[in-house]
Amino acid sequence: MAPTTRDPRASHRLTGLSAVVTGGSRGLGLLLARQLAGRGCTVTLTARDADELERAAVRLREETGATIHVAVCDVRERSTVRELMRATHARDGLDIVIANAGVIQVAPVEAIAAEEFEAAMGTMFEGTLHTALEALPYLRESHGRLALIGSVGGLLGVPHLLPYSCAKAAVGALAEGLHAETAAAGVSVTVVHPGLMRTGSHRQAEFGGDTAAEFGWFSALSGTPLLSMDADRAARKIVDSVARRRARLVLTPAAKAAQLAHGVAPGLTTRLTGLTARLLPSADGQGPLRQGHEAGLPRGPMARRLRAWGSALNDRAVHHANQRRPGPRTSS
């Protein structure tokens, strides 16, 4: 028999609630699950890699003492997501769902094809859509909380991250529309637009064109303290916002500044990003994308030193966020 419907909760306390985190085996998803478990939630982690999921679950059980379940789930397959939500609701109820699964592709547009855009949309937009649609019937019963993880890359087009930006822009529009349409049913929908975070995702992200150079700039910027954010702090702020049923959260001063600039002067902002694009590596032929752990280091001693300096904190996050082993080509 399915658990009885829970009453709406005016408090932001999460003790005793049931949460699902997609893309929860590593990176930001794992850190979000850690926050939820630490606040008394029963957490179900989902991802595509069973071994990676189990390692993450063992770690969270040891750290928090919480009840942690795992479910192998490809969010691109709606029937699989449907079964995940049904089974979780039947076992624990369903109060919180965080749609986090994603893929990061870093390359100039000349070095990628339409397939990369389709892959990004399939995982991040369609996967988020499947997660939301299949969770909402249960969240309406529990007056629950839904969070969709967007990005500053969805607020403006970022050079060399175009598939990612397109998919995250669609996620942002979906979240805002769902927030408007589900509020009357007592469901809160929070859209989160993080800037750069030190999650160790540079090892799992995919790089094209001059892969070593692309890996160099991305890993350096995503680890630079003034531009990037400690991922545990980011996860804490995200879960705080979900608990308090906030409609929108933008993280990092750089992301907030980019959002403001694009809103006030979109034409100027677009021209400035065009100038930025000229500083990025040029396309170096086409070929299969490579994950960061196999992309190689930038050529030249100065470029290598800059990457090592900028990425030092991000490199340290690799173990903490369960990013060390190569996994399926998805990142969070």
Side-chain angles (χ1 to χ4, degrees), residues 70-210:
V70 298
V72 176
C73 178
D74 186 340
V75 294
R76 297 171 299 182
E77 301 292 335
R78 186 172 178 182
S79 60
T80 306
V81 178
R82 181 180 300 124
E83 176 56 25
L84 163 70
M85 299 302 173
R86 186 206 63 78
T88 302
H89 177 260
R91 183 187 62 230
D92 303 311
L94 191 60
D95 303 287
I96 301 168
V97 174
I98 301 182
N100 167 75
V103 58
I104 302 174
Q105 301 148 317
V106 186
V109 70
E110 302 97 314
I112 57 177
E115 287 75 13
E116 277 69 46
F117 286 86
E118 292 165 0
M121 293 297 291
T123 297
M124 287 184 285
F125 176 64
E126 292 180 12
T128 296
L129 176 64
H130 297 160
T131 300
L133 293 180
E134 297 301 332
L136 278 173
Y138 304 115
L139 295 178
R140 288 189 179 98
E141 290 182 15
S142 63
H143 299 273
R145 300 164 168 90
L146 174 66
L148 309 187
I149 305 300
S151 170
V152 64
L155 301 177
L156 68 164
V158 179
H160 290 222
L161 282 163
L162 283 183
Y164 182 82
S165 285
C166 290
K168 289 299 191 180
V171 168
L174 174 66
E176 291 180 5
L178 289 177
H179 177 84
E181 293 204 28
T182 62
V187 177
S188 61
V189 180
T190 301
V191 60
V192 181
H193 292 297
L196 293 169
M197 296 176 294
R198 299 187 289 274
T199 65
S201 62
H202 60 297
R203 284 182 54 83
Q204 307 288 352
E206 300 178 337
F207 298 88
D210 186 341

Side-chain angles (χ1 to χ4, degrees), residues 238-319:
I238 291 169
V239 173
D240 283 345
S241 294
V242 173
R244 290 176 166 82
R245 300 181 181 271
R246 288 184 58 181
R248 183 183 180 90
L249 175 67
V250 179
L251 288 172
T252 78
K256 292 177 182 178
Q259 174 187 228
L260 178 62
H262 192 267
V264 173
L268 176 60
T269 304
T270 299
R271 286 193 292 273
L272 290 175
T273 57
L275 294 175
T276 302
R278 298 181 186 184
L279 302 176
L280 296 175
S282 59
D284 186 22
Q286 282 188 289
L289 299 181
R290 296 181 181 178
Q291 288 185 302
H293 63 86
E294 60 186 7
L297 295 176
R299 294 182 292 273
M302 181 60 71
R304 292 191 181 195
R305 281 196 294 271
L306 287 173
R307 194 219 78 85
W309 175 81
S311 189
L313 293 176
N314 212 11
D315 290 339
R316 292 176 201 166
V318 167
H319 174 73

